[in-house]
Each structure stands twice: as structure tokens, then as C-alpha cells.
Amino acid sequence: MIAVDFQIKDHYNVEDLVSIVRKLRAPDGCPWDKVQTHQTIRSDFIEEVYEAVEAIDENDTEHLREELGDVLLQVVFHCVLETEQQHFDLNDVADDVCKKMILRHPHVFGNVQADTPEEVLRNWDAIKMQSKSQSSAGEAMESVSKTLPSLMRSEKLWKKAERGGFQLADAGQAFDLAEQQLSQLRAMADRGQTEAYDRKLGELLFSIAGVSRFLKTDCEKSLYDACDRFIGQFRELEASAQEKGIDIQKSDPEAVQQLWDAISKSEE
């Protein structure tokens, strides 16, 4: 790597960000940045994306602007790593995604007719399979990222299975499948079949994602919201217990359960 000159300005753009990362990676740059690789900052990329999503959930424009900057920094950093190896740069990445968007929107940049979001998605999936040389829904399933949160991945797999010709008949069948998996898991627990818990619990959660498809909900977001509600209810539990002079860590579990039931009932 060679030394990189950099000029301090009042306002910067994306090209300046590239120059900053190159400066950080230069011989006279930052000792930490100089030794980073794709692998060492992999988790940072994931964390920054989640923080941007949190800003979206908060509907906080200023926070989102900040977090999108952090995501962009990660994109640029990975591109600079590849530029150093003379593989590609940020412009190559932009070129690729521009061509992809043009190709997958023939109803905008071509003469294909697509008047509804559903038609657009069908065209998108067909073009995507063709561009990735996928000849079956099974191959399309293989392309779903394994690093996605598992509930989100489950929903995507259900969606691709449906488009590939396999789907549950209706919501009733989806509920029946989930209840069947739950019943089997409970029977395993009663028999102490601990070696099969992981598999059956996974099948139960996967079937729940199938239910979510018929309810037209986002099961990942549903669980996200449930976690927040649980935190809120638990804080109410602590406050109620303190008001009544109850130490929930030492109290009878039944007494704690009564407090919890009262809180849950009040929010129904």
C-alpha cells in the first residue's frame, strides 16, 4: 500500500469516504484499520445493519441518517479491501447493482407489462432464477442466505416452496401442522426424549412461519415486538412486586405467576 493524501473539507461525498478509508489503511494510517480483513469486520457489518433497522423502527430520521452512514462505511471498507487486491472497487459494485436493477425491472426500463406488485414480484423471481441459472425452486431455496435470522429464512423458504408448487391448502392446515408439531414435542418431553428436542422444536418453529404466511404477518417482526412487550411486562412485574413487598427472586413461583397473570390480563 502507498501513502494517501487527504484534504480536510467543510463537506464530503462518497468519493471522500473512499479516500478516508484508503488513508486509514495506508502505511501512515490507523494501526487498527490497517490490519482488518473481511472476516474481522464481518460482525461489525451485521451490527450496523441491525442498528439502521432499529432507527427505521423508531421512525427517527436523524438516527437513521447516522446509521446509514455507518452501513455505507462498512460497504466502502469492504470495497477498499478488494481494491487493494485489484479485484474490484466501489464503482464496480455500483455498476453491477445498476445493471441488476435495470434487468429486474423490465416493466420500467423495457416493454414488459406489470401493473401490480404481485406481477412485479413474479417477474423479479423469474428473472432472478434465470440470471442465477436456477432451474428449480429447490435451487432457489439453496440461494436463500443461511446467515439470515432463522424465522426470516423460514418465511423466505415457505414463499419459494409455494412458488415452486408446494403449499398448504389453507390457514386451517397450517394451524393443524403447527399443533401437530407442538403435540409431538410435548410427547417427546413427557417421554424424556431429549435427543430429539432440537429437531422437533425447529420443525415447530418452521411450521409457525408457515402459519405466518397465511396470516400475512412478518413472523420475525412479530417475535421482535413480542420481545419488547415481554420486557415491558417484566418491568411491570418488578414494579408490582416491589409495591407489594414481594421479592420475586425468592418468592413462591405461584405468587409470582399470579402477579404476571394480572399484568397480562390487563393488557388483553
Side-chain angles (χ1 to χ4, degrees):
M1 292 180 287
I2 61 175
V4 178
D5 293 329
F6 184 78
Q7 180 181 359
I8 299 298
K9 303 179 180 180
D10 293 328
H11 184 77
Y12 302 97
N13 55 34
V14 174
E15 288 75 18
D16 293 318
L17 180 56
V18 175
S19 296
I20 287 173
V21 175
R22 290 182 62 225
K23 177 67 174 176
L24 294 173
R25 296 274 298 170
D28 60 341
C30 171
W32 185 87
D33 290 276
K34 287 190 291 186
V35 299
Q36 299 311 305
T37 67
H38 290 304
Q39 289 71 32
T40 61
I41 61 173
R42 174 183 179 276
S43 60
D44 296 326
F45 205 161
I46 297 171
E47 181 179 348
E48 298 299 356
V49 172
Y50 273 120
E51 290 179 358
V53 171
E54 184 176 2
I56 292 172
D57 291 342
E58 294 171 349
N59 198 27
D60 187 331
T61 301
E62 289 302 315
H63 188 196
L64 178 59
R65 175 176 173 171
E66 176 188 355
E67 296 303 339
L68 288 177
D70 291 340
V71 173
L72 180 59
L73 171 59
Q74 291 295 315
V75 172
V76 168
F77 206 117
H78 284 281
C79 287
V80 168
L81 290 175
E82 290 299 314
T83 303
E84 292 170 356
Q85 301 299 317
Q86 299 183 339
H87 292 159
F88 61 78
D89 62 17
L90 182 60
N91 286 327
D92 293 321
V93 172
D95 178 64
D96 288 346
V97 73
C98 285
K99 290 175 179 175
K100 180 189 294 184
M101 296 304 288
I102 293 170
L103 175 66
R104 296 188 184 179
H105 291 81
H107 53 288
V108 176
F109 301 102
N111 52 17
V112 172
Q113 190 75 20
D115 298 322
T116 67
E118 292 74 21
E119 290 177 323
V120 171
L121 290 177
R122 281 196 295 270
N123 288 341
W124 177 283
D125 285 339
I127 295 169
K128 183 176 181 180
M129 288 185 66
Q130 184 178 9
S131 65
K132 292 180 176 293
S133 300
Q134 297 167 351
S135 60
S136 69
E139 289 181 355
M141 288 181 186
E142 292 284 358
S143 71
V144 176
S145 175
K146 294 182 179 180
T147 59
L148 285 173
S150 293
L151 277 178
M152 187 181 298
R153 185 182 176 208
S154 297
E155 283 196 294
K156 286 182 173 291
L157 292 177
W158 272 113
K159 184 186 300 184
K160 291 189 179 297
E162 290 171 7
R163 291 174 181 170
F166 172 79
Q167 62 181 0
L168 300 174
D170 50 33
Q173 187 176 6
F175 278 114
D176 288 344
L177 177 60
E179 290 170 356
Q180 176 184 348
Q181 300 295 351
L182 177 60
S183 177
Q184 291 175 358
L185 179 60
R186 176 172 291 178
M188 287 178 179
D190 291 341
R191 294 193 297 266
Q193 293 179 266
T194 57
E195 73 284 352
Y197 286 173
D198 284 346
R199 175 175 177 176
K200 187 52 61 178
L201 181 59
E203 291 173 352
L204 171 61
L205 293 172
F206 190 80
S207 67
I208 293 295
V211 171
S212 175
R213 293 281 297 146
F214 280 97
L215 299 182
K216 301 187 184 305
T217 62
D218 181 337
C219 61
E220 183 73 30
K221 181 65 164 56
S222 296
L223 183 56
Y224 177 98
D225 292 341
C227 289
D228 279 348
R229 287 195 300 273
F230 181 80
I231 293 171
Q233 289 174 327
F234 191 83
R235 291 178 65 87
E236 288 187 46
L237 173 67
E238 290 178 319
S240 178
Q242 184 177 19
E243 183 181 324
K244 293 177 171 57
I246 298 174
D247 184 341
I248 61 175
Q249 294 183 342
K250 298 179 181 178
S251 182
D252 177 12
E254 291 188 4
V256 176
Q257 185 63 50
Q258 289 177 358
L259 289 176
W260 180 265
D261 291 342
I263 292 169
S264 299
K265 187 175 182 180
S266 67
E267 297 187 0
E268 290 180 355

